[in-house]
Amino acid sequence: MILIENAAGSSQVITIIQEFAGHSVSRDLQPGDAAQIPVGQFKSIVVRETYPEDWMSRVRSRQAAA
């Protein structure tokens, strides 16, 4: 199990991308959020900082798709 935490007061959004069995799942952690992710030999995990303008454009595209 891996614990990933975005520190409270951070100006960044952290994006976690999990890849397994040919699928990709992502989620965003806002400042102060944390996630526990189970790991295994067939899963890869990418964690990256997302700048606010990138995050806002992704939110708009998700809202447009809904």
Side-chain angles (χ1 to χ4, degrees), residues 11-59:
S11 63
Q12 304 292 326
V13 174
I14 293 177
T15 300
I16 301 170
I17 303 167
Q18 300 177 65
E19 296 178 351
F20 52 93
H23 300 283
S24 178
V25 177
S26 67
R27 72 171 111 166
D28 295 330
L29 294 182
Q30 302 295 324
D33 288 349
Q36 293 183 354
I37 301 173
V39 295
Q41 67 184 35
F42 300 110
K43 181 189 285 187
S44 68
I45 299 172
V46 176
V47 178
R48 67 178 184 194
E49 291 180 330
T50 306
Y51 293 96
E53 58 273 4
D54 295 339
W55 179 76
M56 289 305 296
S57 66
R58 287 187 15 201
V59 167

